[in-house]
Amino acid sequence: MATHEGKGGVSEHYTPTANTQGPASSSELKHAHGAPEIVKDNGDANIPEGAVTSVDELEASKKGRFAYFKTREFFIVLVLGQILALCLTSTNTFSSLLVAEGTSIPAFQTFFNYVLLNIIYTSFTFYKYGFKGWGRMVLQDGWKYLILAFLDVQGNYFTVLAYRYTTILSAQLINFFAIVTVVIISFVFLRVRYHITQVAGILICIGGVGILIGSDHITSATAPLNPISKGDQVKGDLFALLGAFCYGLSNVAEEFLVSKRPLYEVVGQLAFWGMIINGVQAGIFDRAYFRSATWNGKVGGYLVGYTLILAMFYSLAPLMFRLASAAFFNISLLTGNFWGVCIGVKVFGLSIHWMYPIAFVCIIGGLLVYFIGRKVLGEATKPWLGRNQEGGVTGVGTARRRVVKGATVV
């Protein structure tokens, strides 16, 4: 993920300074960590003449209900969504392979992901801010990232835990609650207003997954390996519901934060606090499973693959939140079931039911319908940042970047 914007434009960073010479001037106050701002370097002089300075001006450059379809960003968002779906499916495949080897440590295996992300992004944040600047940022905004990390860790934990007690079919149905959570929270707190085509697109995507689940039910692909009691079924459903709710909240929170702060700061802080929270949970809940787990070369390879792909997922997801939204992010992941079966054909010897390709086309069709009527910037313009996105950071994937530089958002 590109986190540094280069030498010739607006940098995606802020510069913390200490006030050591009495009251700060107004220019100095702009660099103090507090309200999110855009910090420009000497490369601002290189912004091309004729740069667009207004969202209205920019969106008037292309007209019609299919204006967004004519942009490069539309294809980037569509492909990025499928890359993320493949990443998620790949991590699920590695989890299944670990279980097949006799190693089931859901909390502990995710711990390595947070460690890797922390090494990459927190180290880069130290480089950008300095140790004191990083410390001031943590004191000022650390509580926000702590909440984000807590929701993310719990979303992972309860979703994995649900599969111990309930059927895959039931868990998949309940996971739709994450989409409902994202839409409601975005509507109420972030003032996002959904167009009729966006609602239609979401419903079409959900209908596509309904076809997938129906196919699984017909072929008994979601039947549990062991009988599940009614009590365990209820417990598993509640865990799945809680996991989906936490996922929805964390997605909206991350979309809000990456629109205002640099990507490396957000991902670095998510990893920093996530590593601590996940480590504590792993020590408490996975201790017995860790002792009884199988440890060999295959398990080590699966853990490495799981960690690398999940780290890629966490690195690319913020770009999706900037270019599109948490809602589109979630419906893009609905194709994961289809990609899972495609991988399963090779890895587990599964067969593709004839309904699967129909479901995949249905979901992709829903993703296209979602953007009908959207203007040039699509969902990159965030209502909470102001009409010209003046409240946001000028970074990769943001509408503010294009408004300031008059260039593409990526």
Side-chain angles (χ1 to χ4, degrees):
M1 178 183 70
T3 54
H4 183 51
E5 306 299 15
K7 298 180 180 179
V10 181
S11 300
E12 185 180 303
H13 73 286
Y14 78 101
T15 307
T17 58
N19 182 11
T20 57
Q21 299 180 355
S25 66
S26 59
S27 61
E28 289 173 329
L29 288 173
K30 291 180 182 178
H31 294 282
H33 186 72
E37 75 259 342
I38 297 158
V39 177
K40 301 183 179 181
D41 57 24
N42 293 332
D44 292 340
N46 297 325
I47 294 176
E49 280 188 41
V52 178
T53 57
S54 158
V55 168
D56 290 333
E57 214 179 324
L58 183 61
E59 292 190 331
S61 61
K62 288 186 178 71
K63 296 183 179 180
R65 296 183 62 80
F66 299 97
Y68 188 60
F69 290 79
K70 302 173 186 177
T71 66
R72 185 179 68 167
E73 287 71 32
F74 164 71
F75 296 99
I76 292 175
V77 164
L78 203 62
V79 172
L80 180 59
Q82 295 316 295
I83 292 174
L84 289 168
L86 275 168
C87 286
L88 197 59
T89 300
S90 298
T91 58
N92 291 338
T93 301
F94 278 118
S95 294
S96 299
L97 291 171
L98 284 169
V99 171
E101 289 293 321
T103 302
S104 178
I105 46 173
F108 187 74
Q109 73 185 49
T110 308
F111 174 76
F112 294 116
N113 168 61
Y114 291 117
V115 171
L116 178 59
L117 291 173
N118 198 45
I119 291 172
I120 297 170
Y121 293 103
T122 299
S123 298
F124 190 74
T125 308
F126 279 134
Y127 167 74
K128 297 293 289 185
Y129 295 172
F131 184 77
K132 290 183 179 179
W134 181 87
R136 282 194 292 271
M137 178 269 294
V138 171
L139 289 175
Q140 180 73 27
D141 291 333
W143 64 273
K144 301 175 186 176
Y145 296 118
L146 176 61
I147 294 173
L148 172 64
F150 178 81
L151 292 171
D152 186 72
V153 171
Q154 302 318 313
N156 287 329
Y157 181 76
F158 284 112
T159 299
V160 173
L161 189 62
Y163 286 95
R164 292 185 184 176
Y165 299 99
T166 189
T167 64
I168 296 176
L169 174 62
S170 181
Q172 285 175 330
L173 287 170
I174 292 174
N175 280 341
F176 285 127
F177 190 63
I179 300 175
V180 176
T181 301
V182 166
V183 170
I184 293 176
I185 297 298
S186 297
F187 182 87
V188 174
F189 294 101
L190 299 184
R191 297 175 294 173
V192 175
R193 297 298 177 258
Y194 294 94
H195 191 270
I196 185 64
T197 56
Q198 291 177 291
V199 176
I202 292 173
L203 293 177
I204 292 171
C205 289
I206 291 175
V209 176
I211 296 174
L212 286 175
I213 293 175
S215 172
D216 287 343
H217 186 64
I218 291 171
T219 58
S220 300
T222 57
L225 297 177
N226 299 306
I228 297 176
S229 67
K230 188 175 181 180
D232 281 348
Q233 176 81 47
V234 172
K235 185 191 298 184
D237 289 348
L238 289 175
F239 284 148
L241 190 67
L242 184 57
F245 181 67
C246 289
Y247 269 140
L249 290 177
S250 67
N251 289 164
V252 175
E254 188 170 359
E255 181 185 359
F256 177 81
L257 289 169
V258 296
S259 71
K260 288 176 167 286
R261 305 304 313 156
L263 291 182
Y264 55 81
E265 177 185 309
V266 177
V267 180
Q269 280 293 285
L270 169 62
F272 177 77
W273 296 108
M275 180 180 67
I276 296 172
I277 297 169
N278 189 259
V280 171
Q281 283 194 201
I284 296 173
F285 299 110
D286 276 1
R287 190 165 45 187
Y289 295 101
F290 187 83
R291 292 197 196 99
S292 61
T294 301
W295 298 101
N296 54 38
K298 281 187 177 180
V299 169
Y302 296 153
L303 283 173
V304 170
Y306 176 89
T307 300
L308 292 177
I309 293 176
L310 192 57
M312 182 189 300
F313 179 87
Y314 273 76
S315 298
L316 293 176
L319 288 176
M320 176 65 89
F321 293 138
R322 282 183 170 183
L323 286 164
S325 65
F328 188 79
F329 168 80
N330 275 274
I331 62 176
S332 292
L333 297 181
L334 295 180
T335 57
N337 285 18
F338 175 80
W339 296 121
V341 172
C342 290
I343 293 175
V345 168
K346 182 67 176 178
V347 178
F348 301 113
L350 302 179
S351 59
I352 298 180
H353 191 270
W354 63 269
M355 295 174 69
Y356 268 71
I358 297 175
F360 180 77
V361 172
C362 186
I363 295 172
I364 295 298
L367 298 179
L368 297 176
V369 170
Y370 185 88
F371 282 119
I372 292 177
R374 303 299 298 181
K375 297 181 179 179
V376 172
L377 291 174
E379 289 190 301
T381 52
K382 311 298 182 182
W384 58 88
L385 298 180
R387 181 57 192 164
N388 290 313
Q389 306 296 284
E390 57 274 8
V393 66
T394 304
V396 172
T398 63
R400 179 64 177 164
R401 175 184 174 89
R402 191 165 180 181
V403 168
V404 171
K405 299 182 71 173
T408 53
V409 297
V410 290

